[in-house]
Amino acid sequence: MTRDVVLVGASGYGRTYLAEIAALEASGAVRLAGVCDVRPLDDEGRQLAGDRPFDTDLGRLLDRVRPDIGIVATPIHTHLPLARQVLGAGAHLLVEKPPLPTADGWRELVALGRSAGRACQTGFQSLGSRAAARLRALMADGTLGRIRGIGGHGAWSRPDGYYRRAAWAGRREVDGVPVVDGALTNPFAHMVATALFLDNSTGWDDVSGVELELLRARDIQADDTSCVRLRTGRGTVVSAAVTLCAEVTSDPVLLVHGTRGRAALHYTKDVLFLDGVREEHGTTTPLRNLLDHLDDDRVPLQSALADCGGFMRVLDAVRTAPDPRPIAPAWLRRSGSGDEARVLVVGVEAAVAASAEHLSTFAESGAPWALAPVSRS
Ligand SMILES: NC(=O)c1ccc[n+]([C@@H]2O[C@H](COP(=O)([O-])OP(=O)(O)OC[C@H]3O[C@@H](n4cnc5c(N)ncnc54)[C@H](O)[C@@H]3O)[C@@H](O)[C@H]2O)c1
C-alpha cells in the first residue's frame, strides 16, 4: 500500500527525510504529497521534492493534500503546534527528537494521538538498531548477570557555525518558549533514550532521583558539557556524561555493567561489543518502522511517543534546573577560526569516560572544572 506523506521542515535534518522518502517512493511504499517549510527549498531540495505542492503554511498545505503521515522535522519549540495540525488533519505522526520541549506538551500530544486513534512515532533512530534490541534481550534474559548500571559517554565537538546556523541553537528558550537545546537533551538525547530502552524503563514513573551537572564552556544559554545520573524502577543506575567541546572526538558509547558480562553499544553505528567481541547489526528507520506498523499492527512502534516518558522526565529536569554554570576560563582552549572555531575543555574526554565506567558524576570523578550536582526529582 502506498501512503501519502507530508514533510514539515525540509532542510537541516529534514533533508534526511526528503532523501529517505525519495528512496521509499521508488519502492512504492510512500508518495511525497507535499512539503512545508518557512524557507524556500534550495536546489537539492527542489530536485528531491520535484513538482509536489510546497507551502510555507502547514494548515494551508493540509487543506490541499490530506496525507496519511505527517513528518515534523523542524526546530524543537515548533513541534507541538505543527504536530497538533498533523493529528488534526487525521494523519499519523512522526515527530523528530526530542519530541517536545516540555512534559506537559508531551502528555498533550500523547493524549491527542490516542483520541485521534493515530500512530505517533518519534525520530529516535537508535531505538531501531538491532544491536540495541539484542543487548536489551541479553540484559533481560540474565546473560549479563545482574545489571549494576548503564553508563554512557559522548565526546563530540561543535564549531561556532553549529550555533550560528539557527536562532534556537544552544538556547534554553526563545522568546519565553522552552527549547531545551542542551547537550543531554538534543545531540545526545539518543544516549539517554537508548539507556532507558535497554533497561526497559521508558515510562515517566520508571525514572527517579535525577542528578544533574549542567555546565557550559561556551557563551550560550544551554549546557554543552553535562552529566545526568538517575535510578530506574528496576534499581539500575543510569548515567550519561557528554560534551560538545572535546579536543579528541569519539563515537558515543553506552556501557552496560553486568555481574557476568560487560557490553558496549556504539549506538550511532549499530555496533555492539560483548566482552570485547565485536558484532555489527542492521537498523530500521523510524519511518520504515512506522510504515510496517501501519501495514501490520502486530509490529510495534520502535520509538513510540507514548514510550518517551522516562526521557521526558530527564528533559523536564534539565528544563527546570538552574542555568548551566560556566566552566572557568583556565580549563578552556580555543582552536580554529570563523564558523570552524571551537572551544575545548581540558581533560573532558577522560572525564566522560570515567563517568561511564564508574557511574560517577564529574565531581566524583575528580574533574577539576566540575561543580556539585543538582538533585531534581
Ligand atoms: N534524529 C537525529 O539524529 C537528528 C539530528 C539532527 C536534528 N534532529 C532534530 O530535527 C529537528 C530539526 O533540526 P534542524 O537542526 O534540522 O533544524 P533547523 O533549524 O535547521 O530547521 C529545519 C527546517 O525546518 C524549517 N522550519 C522552521 N520552522 C518551521 C515552521 N514553523 N514550519 C515549517 N518549517 C519550519 C526550517 O526552515 C528548516 O528548513 C529538531 O527537532 C532536531 O532536534 C534530529
Side-chain angles (χ1 to χ4, degrees), residues 233-322:
R234 299 165 169 276
T236 311
V237 175
V238 172
S239 67
V242 299
T243 184
L244 299 173
C245 302
E247 185 172 4
V248 181
T249 61
S250 55
D251 289 345
V253 176
L254 279 165
L255 296 178
V256 175
H257 306 279
T259 51
R260 285 213 297 271
R262 171 190 169 95
L265 175 66
H266 293 233
Y267 63 84
T268 58
K269 298 277 169 65
D270 305 313
V271 166
L272 177 61
F273 288 89
L274 283 174
D275 291 324
V277 179
R278 181 187 164 100
E279 296 180 2
E280 271 185 49
H281 294 270
T283 192
T284 303
T285 67
L287 177 56
R288 181 68 260 179
N289 168 251
L290 173 60
L291 293 167
D292 292 345
H293 171 76
L294 296 178
D295 285 346
D296 178 353
D297 61 11
R298 287 169 302 180
V299 177
L301 288 176
Q302 64 195 27
S303 49
L305 181 68
D307 294 337
C308 290
F311 172 79
M312 288 305 301
R313 188 150 196 171
V314 173
L315 180 145
D316 228 41
V318 172
R319 179 180 68 81
T320 56

Side-chain angles (χ1 to χ4, degrees), residues 6 31-36 41 49-55 61 64-65:
V6 155
R31 194 181 71 87
L32 181 64
V35 175
C36 169
L41 294 177
D51 57 358
R52 318 310 162 83
F54 173 89
D55 208 308
L61 182 66
R64 188 171 159 199
V65 296

Side-chain angles (χ1 to χ4, degrees), residues 317-333:
V318 172
R319 179 180 68 81
T320 56
D323 284 341
R325 301 223 240 141
I327 295 175
W331 302 107
L332 305 182
R333 304 280 180 269

